[in-house]
Amino acid sequence: MEFTKLTIPEIHKEFHTKKTTALELVQRAIEVIEKKEKNLGAFISLDIEAALKAAEKVDERIEKGEELGILEGIPFALKDNIMMKDKNCLLYTSPSPRDSWASRMPS
């Protein structure tokens, strides 16, 4: 699956028809990032472990037949000025004590 050419609804359809999983999609996104990041320097940090855990939770929800939120299972990046709890943010000199509204995703 060439996920970069699919829309979000098309990716969700791929999940529900078992053509791919959220975990496979996230793993593929990580591969692309690791391949290109050396030359781009686009990320100040990656939380690969959290991304994989979130993808596993999405796959469990799909297995149960639950409906997904629009960004669930979709890899995305946050700009470095958006706070995430316990993560560094360029606006602060220490890890943020809370999440910003923009970084909250359903769990």
Side-chain angles (χ1 to χ4, degrees), residues 41-59:
F43 295 94
I44 60 170
S45 66
L46 290 172
D47 194 344
I48 293 172
E49 184 178 326
L52 295 171
K53 283 181 183 178
E56 288 172 352
K57 286 182 181 179
V58 168
D59 288 337

Side-chain angles (χ1 to χ4, degrees), residues 89-106:
C89 171
L90 290 184
L91 296 176
Y92 298 94
T93 57
S94 60
S96 174
R98 66 187 187 286
D99 283 336
S100 72
W101 177 86
S103 69
R104 291 187 201 133
M105 294 295 295

Side-chain angles (χ1 to χ4, degrees), residues 13-82:
K13 185 176 180 182
E14 298 276 310
F15 292 163
H16 288 290
T17 58
K18 310 285 191 235
K19 291 183 180 174
T20 194
T21 65
L23 184 59
E24 290 169 343
L25 181 65
V26 168
Q27 289 170 330
R28 177 69 182 118
I30 291 167
E31 289 172 12
V32 171
I33 290 168
E34 288 176 340
K35 180 180 176 184
K36 296 185 178 198
E37 177 60 11
K38 298 175 250 197
N39 296 321
L40 295 175
F43 295 94
I44 60 170
S45 66
L46 290 172
D47 194 344
I48 293 172
E49 184 178 326
L52 295 171
K53 283 181 183 178
E56 288 172 352
K57 286 182 181 179
V58 168
D59 288 337
E60 289 170 7
R61 292 189 58 216
I62 291 168
E63 281 297 316
K64 293 176 184 175
E66 296 178 17
E67 190 172 323
L68 299 179
I70 189 67
L71 287 179
E72 288 185 270
I74 308 298
F76 67 95
L78 287 175
K79 181 140 175 49
D80 55 12
N81 65 348
I82 297 186

